[in-house]
Amino acid sequence: MRDYDELIAFLGEWGPFQRLIFFLLSASIVPNGFNGMSAVFLAGAPQHRCRLPASANLSREWLNAGIPREVQGGREGPSSCRRYRLESLANFSARGLQPGRDVDLSQLEQEKCLDGWEYSRELYRSTIVTEWNLVCEDDWKTPLTTSLFFVGVLIGSFISGQLSDRFGRKSILFATMAVQTGFSFVQIFSTSWEMFTVLFLIVGMGQISNYVVAFILGTEILGKSVRIIFSTLGVCIFFAIGYMLLPLFAYFIRDWRMLLLALTVPGVLCIPLWWIIPESPRWLISQGRFKEAEIIIRKAAKTNGIVAPAMLFDSAEMQDMKRQQQQEQKAYILDLFRTRNIAVITVMSLLLWMLTSIGYFGLSLNTPNLHGNAYINCFLSAVIEVPAYVIAWLLLRTLPRRYSISGTLFLGGGVILLIQMVPTDFYVLSVFLVMLGKFGITSAFSMLYVYTSELYPTIVRNMAVGATSMSSRVGSIIAPYFVYLGAYDRFLPYILMGSLTVLIGILTLFLPESYGNPLPETFDQMLRVKGFRNRQRTNHVRSSKEIEDSKTQITPL
């Protein structure tokens, strides 16, 4: 019985049809890049200080001295959340007393910012932080906003696959595009932080669903060799391109509402793609809709200038394929813990995904807090992902999985830990180390899908990848709070992220090595964790076809 790839082999691998689908689906990923990281600028927190109202009639000297000085991030500056008691300042000013000479400022009573805040306009004209005063006692709302976006991502990643399996790839792709674009537009008219955050959660659901379904649609339509490139350089690099566009938009549009509007427009431009991108013929065949699948394949053949065979589908063969799918054994989530060896691999894999995700998103979201220009730093954080994906692809082709992932994690975590040792004046070196750390962690992150899929047998492979991927979403939900810790100590996020990244790099060395081994078909064929007593097993040399597939596939973050 022929499989789907054999049925469409006459189309070729890289004709006009495949090129069109490759670039259109890759381009549809671009909005996910800037929407996924938009919180960096939408929720940017500029420097701020307590407002001293004009009605207090303070002299110039007391206006300058009315805010206590404190050390923040190794630098001394005006307090962000405290001021001297306004009644006392007005009294001293009316009496003509001078601060520091006639009045000891250290002895003055302090109070909260009862009249609001004054925000620096150097970086942002407005953000949701300045709009709704998400500072001081309410500064916890900023990381919560980002975390709830990633809660939406978690929910979307859970339901997108099931929805596309039931209703089709194309329908769900454009439905989730509409959710992402439509609710981003509605966000512009948010009247409160609560309204903005709820809408942001829904945008997160659409963002990841669009990403996942576009990936699935591309891998199902494209041929085997092109599928490999699409799942690596296509999807990942076009996501990075979208990420690069974010600081460019934000640099020229400093108002958060107008920025959000600008980020919504590219989604509207995707509407004409509905009449160009077809449904997945592979999915149609799985649903028994052979006639629709045949129409799409014949159109593809016409686009490629190829004459299609008179009969594409042997109905008896297709029915056999459908019966075989229905008879496949079902797997359950508890199967990932059915033996001690499998349970240890699962727990270690969940930790590996979660902690790597914390490092990736923590460094990405922390770019505005780096020294230097926030827009340039964000752009560099996006650019560094391109060589990271290329290096990951090369490592998967040539080196063992454990050493490739562990080595890049050691690189990422190690250089992040070195940041605390850099003198304060060496800003460029600090930024360089952060970007090098981002490079290592991004490389490791992009290799996890391949490694995880090679560890588990066929019956639970998709379930294992799904469970570990959801673990990474939990990491992304936690990551904004690592960034939040920088308000108390600017080195603390780097110490925590670096330590956890190095720790998981060490634990990775205890996982089995899958490179060069055949993909397990049953639980008994699973490789064993290092340190466990090995049972006798026969090692087969994987066919060159299998090796080439596993060496070159990288799946999106």
Side-chain angles (χ1 to χ4, degrees):
M1 183 176 67
R2 297 177 299 168
D3 62 16
Y4 176 77
D5 289 322
E6 291 173 328
L7 290 171
I8 64 167
F10 73 92
L11 288 175
E13 290 287 329
W14 192 237
F17 173 76
Q18 287 90 347
R19 290 195 292 269
L20 181 67
I21 296 301
F22 182 100
F23 288 109
L24 289 181
L25 286 177
S26 295
S28 74
I29 299 292
V30 171
N32 292 275
F34 48 69
N35 279 309
M37 296 296 176
S38 62
V40 169
F41 296 106
L42 294 178
Q47 293 183 347
H48 53 277
R49 53 181 282 178
C50 293
R51 177 180 288 113
L52 297 173
S55 58
N57 294 321
L58 300 180
S59 64
R60 181 184 299 273
E61 291 80 7
W62 281 106
L63 281 172
N64 294 331
I67 307 297
R69 308 286 293 181
E70 61 182 27
V71 178
Q72 295 178 333
R75 295 179 176 182
E76 184 180 282
S79 173
S80 300
C81 300
R82 305 290 293 179
R83 70 182 185 187
Y84 293 121
R85 192 162 177 263
L86 188 61
E87 184 180 343
S88 300
L89 298 180
N91 181 36
F92 296 143
S93 178
R95 292 165 57 188
L97 302 178
Q98 295 296 312
R101 187 189 69 185
D102 303 317
V103 179
D104 184 359
L105 297 178
S106 63
Q107 301 299 316
L108 291 183
E109 183 182 354
Q110 298 181 14
E111 62 184 6
K112 298 178 182 179
C113 300
L114 302 179
D115 296 291
W117 292 263
E118 295 176 352
Y119 295 96
S120 169
R121 305 294 177 182
E122 182 180 357
L123 279 181
Y124 317 106
R125 196 169 77 186
S126 72
T127 68
I128 65 168
V129 172
T130 64
E131 180 91 7
W132 295 301
N133 292 323
L134 308 182
V135 293
C136 300
E137 290 86 354
D138 287 333
D139 61 355
W140 57 272
K141 293 181 178 179
T142 302
L144 180 60
T145 302
T146 310
S147 289
L148 288 176
F149 171 83
F150 287 115
V151 169
V153 170
L154 174 63
I155 297 171
S157 64
F158 180 73
I159 65 174
S160 57
Q162 299 180 51
L163 289 175
S164 65
D165 285 343
R166 181 171 182 180
F167 299 105
R169 317 308 193 203
K170 179 179 177 179
S171 299
I172 300 303
L173 171 65
F174 285 92
T176 52
M177 278 185 186
V179 169
Q180 177 179 251
T181 304
F183 282 92
S184 291
F185 181 75
V186 175
Q187 270 188 296
I188 298 171
F189 305 99
S190 298
T191 57
S192 66
W193 169 77
E194 290 80 7
M195 177 180 175
F196 178 91
T197 303
V198 171
L199 293 172
F200 209 25
L201 184 148
I202 299 173
V203 171
M205 292 174 60
Q207 189 260 356
I208 191 62
S209 299
N210 170 26
Y211 188 97
V212 170
V213 177
F215 174 80
I216 294 172
L217 184 58
T219 55
E220 290 185 347
I221 291 180
L222 299 172
K224 195 165 214 177
S225 61
V226 181
R227 186 186 310 152
I228 292 166
I229 302 299
F230 174 75
S231 63
T232 56
L233 305 183
V235 170
C236 295
I237 289 182
F238 273 79
F239 178 89
I241 291 173
Y243 188 4
M244 291 180 214
L245 291 175
L246 173 63
L248 183 65
F249 277 101
Y251 179 79
F252 291 103
I253 306 173
R254 305 292 180 101
D255 177 80
W256 74 268
R257 294 182 191 270
M258 292 299 101
L259 175 60
L260 202 51
L261 178 61
L263 297 181
T264 302
V265 171
V268 178
L269 299 179
C270 291
I271 293 176
L273 299 183
W274 172 266
W275 290 275
I276 303 175
I277 296 175
E279 179 56 271
S280 165
R282 190 188 297 264
W283 179 81
L284 290 171
I285 291 172
S286 72
Q287 302 297 306
R289 295 159 63 176
F290 301 120
K291 186 73 173 177
E292 296 173 63
E294 182 173 349
I295 292 173
I296 293 172
I297 294 173
R298 290 192 181 279
K299 284 184 178 179
K302 184 178 180 181
T303 303
N304 285 353
I306 296 172
V307 178
M311 186 179 70
L312 285 178
F313 300 116
D314 182 339
S315 58
E317 186 179 52
M318 294 298 101
Q319 290 301 325
D320 288 341
M321 185 184 299
K322 194 170 182 181
R323 268 196 302 270
Q324 184 180 6
Q325 292 173 349
Q326 292 172 349
Q327 292 171 359
E328 287 181 352
Q329 184 180 356
K330 292 185 178 180
Y332 302 94
I333 190 68
L334 292 179
D335 287 330
L336 299 178
F337 303 91
R338 64 187 299 171
T339 68
R340 183 185 175 200
N341 181 61
I342 298 171
V344 171
I345 290 176
T346 299
V347 171
M348 292 175 68
S349 297
L350 292 172
L351 288 174
L352 174 60
W353 281 72
M354 184 175 70
L355 297 183
T356 305
S357 177
I358 288 175
Y360 173 82
F361 286 102
L363 292 178
S364 299
L365 296 172
N366 195 50
T367 49
N369 299 327
L370 298 175
H371 291 293
N373 188 291
Y375 301 97
I376 294 177
N377 290 337
C378 183
F379 180 76
L380 292 175
S381 179
V383 168
I384 202 66
E385 293 196 6
V386 176
Y389 293 135
V390 175
I391 290 297
W393 179 64
L394 294 174
L395 288 174
L396 285 173
R397 290 176 59 89
T398 56
L399 294 177
R401 313 295 191 229
R402 287 187 306 132
Y403 298 132
S404 297
I405 294 174
S406 182
T408 50
L409 288 173
F410 278 137
L411 171 65
V415 296
I416 292 173
L417 286 174
L418 290 177
I419 293 174
Q420 59 184 314
M421 303 173 63
V422 177
T424 307
D425 296 333
F426 287 68
Y427 306 140
V428 176
L429 180 57
S430 295
V431 174
F432 172 77
L433 291 177
V434 171
M435 297 307 161
L436 187 58
K438 175 76 180 296
F439 169 84
I441 292 175
T442 301
S443 294
F445 205 178
S446 64
M447 290 186 278
L448 293 185
Y449 278 90
V450 175
Y451 186 42
T452 303
S453 66
E454 292 176 346
L455 289 178
Y456 288 89
T458 303
I459 188 173
V460 293
R461 186 171 294 126
N462 285 340
M463 184 181 297
V465 173
T468 51
S469 178
M470 289 184 68
S471 175
S472 78
R473 308 305 171 198
V474 174
S476 65
I477 293 170
I478 299 172
Y481 288 95
F482 279 72
V483 179
Y484 178 66
L485 293 174
Y488 301 95
D489 187 318
R490 69 188 185 95
F491 293 124
L492 188 55
Y494 300 119
I495 294 172
L496 291 175
M497 288 188 290
S499 300
L500 291 174
T501 302
V502 170
L503 173 63
I504 201 61
I506 295 173
L507 290 179
T508 302
L509 294 174
F510 290 92
L511 284 168
E513 179 52 68
S514 61
Y515 180 74
N517 290 298
L519 291 174
E521 297 294 336
T522 66
F523 288 104
D524 290 336
Q525 293 175 2
M526 283 187 68
L527 299 167
R528 302 187 66 76
V529 175
K530 300 300 177 184
F532 276 33
R533 204 168 23 218
N534 288 320
R535 297 182 299 178
Q536 289 292 332
R537 66 178 187 275
T538 303
N539 288 323
H540 300 280
V541 179
R542 190 189 302 190
S543 68
S544 60
K545 189 176 180 183
E546 281 182 305
I547 292 175
E548 188 63 25
D549 288 349
S550 63
K551 281 181 179 179
T552 51
Q553 183 185 6
I554 302 177
T555 313
L557 305 180

